[in-house]
Amino acid sequence: MHQFLFLLFGAICAGGAINLLIQRKTINSALSLIVVMGSLALIYLLLGAEFVAVIQVIIYAGAIMVLYIFVIMLLNAGEEEHSKGSNVAKIFGIPGLFAGGIIGIWVLLQHRPADRLIAIGALYGPADKVGMMLFTKYLLAFEVTSILVLIAIMGAVVLARRSNS
Amino acid sequence: MIPISWYLLLSAFLFACGVTGFLTKRNIITLFMSIELMLNGVNLSFIAFATRLGTLDGHIFVFFVMVVAAAEAAVGLAIIISVYRTRETLNVDRVNLLKL
């Protein structure tokens, strides 16, 4: 059952990622990214990451992607323009890609780390445990993050404001 | 019971899709969405390794990655709107004022 669920959501996730690449309209890419994020939230639930799955849906699929779609509709982004690819990419890129892939596979086969099976519920991350850790062990990072968010808010307001000059 | 390497393979696939999109796409909004895809791939390996190691630290890191991604999306989309207002295009090849 675990394998079936993982393969199902993993296939949806991979299909969404490929669809993001092959679509030419920006709005279709955005919608397939939402599919990827939703199926990733279900995979997080399979791994027991309850809190992360919920904030994945709320923040990523909810807030961030709504912002993206809002901007796409605001700027009326249509189909992507075709442009000529560079010759350097064709000459060096494709052989380089193959060489890099072969080297990567070779290194992985040489130093193969021990694999481990994980079951549903091997680790359980509910909101209270994660929150307790966030406010004790990672309190400084959490407070610094609030400054980052404040600066991001001010930056977004300043950048998107129509200048009068 | 499934091996952790399956999760890591899916994570690597998502990251590779993000890199491919970032290098091949021309629309600046699609480039930003490719970055989001890469961040999601990294998040998946954080969660998988948290389960493998039996600690919740990976979940905290995913939380921070999401916060940074939200801040990046807000500022980045503001920059996109600002660029569109001055250059009237979303094609990154047309935004070449700093090119030699």
Side-chain angles (χ1 to χ4, degrees), chain A residues 3 6 21 23 26 30 37 44 56 60 68 80-81 83 115-116 118-119 133 137-138 145 159-160, chain B residues 1-2 4-5 7 21 25-27 32 36 40 43 52 57 64 66-67 69 79 85 91 93-94:
Chain A
Q3 290 180 357
F6 174 78
L21 292 181
Q23 290 289 343
T26 315
M37 284 165 178
Y44 292 159
Q56 169 91 5
Y60 253 134
Y68 271 91
E80 200 178 16
E81 294 174 34
S83 63
D115 213 344
R116 190 186 285 182
I118 42 181
M133 207 165 186
K137 193 176 173 186
Y138 293 98
T145 306
L159 284 169
Chain B
M1 300 285 282
I2 68 172
I4 192 170
S5 57
Y7 287 108
K25 289 288 186 178
R26 293 281 172 270
N27 193 312
F32 263 77
E36 298 290 334
N40 270 289
N43 282 350
R52 163 99 163 60
D57 296 65
F64 286 131
M66 281 182 188
V67 172
I79 291 175
R85 210 175 266 157
N91 191 337
D93 285 345
R94 301 259 182 90

Side-chain angles (χ1 to χ4, degrees), chain B residues 23-49:
Chain B
L23 292 178
T24 58
K25 289 288 186 178
R26 293 281 172 270
N27 193 312
I28 193 165
I29 298 176
T30 318
L31 294 191
F32 263 77
M33 289 195 289
S34 303
I35 295 174
E36 298 290 334
L37 194 60
M38 284 193 259
L39 289 173
N40 270 289
V42 173
N43 282 350
L44 180 58
S45 50
F46 266 128
I47 301 285
F49 277 122

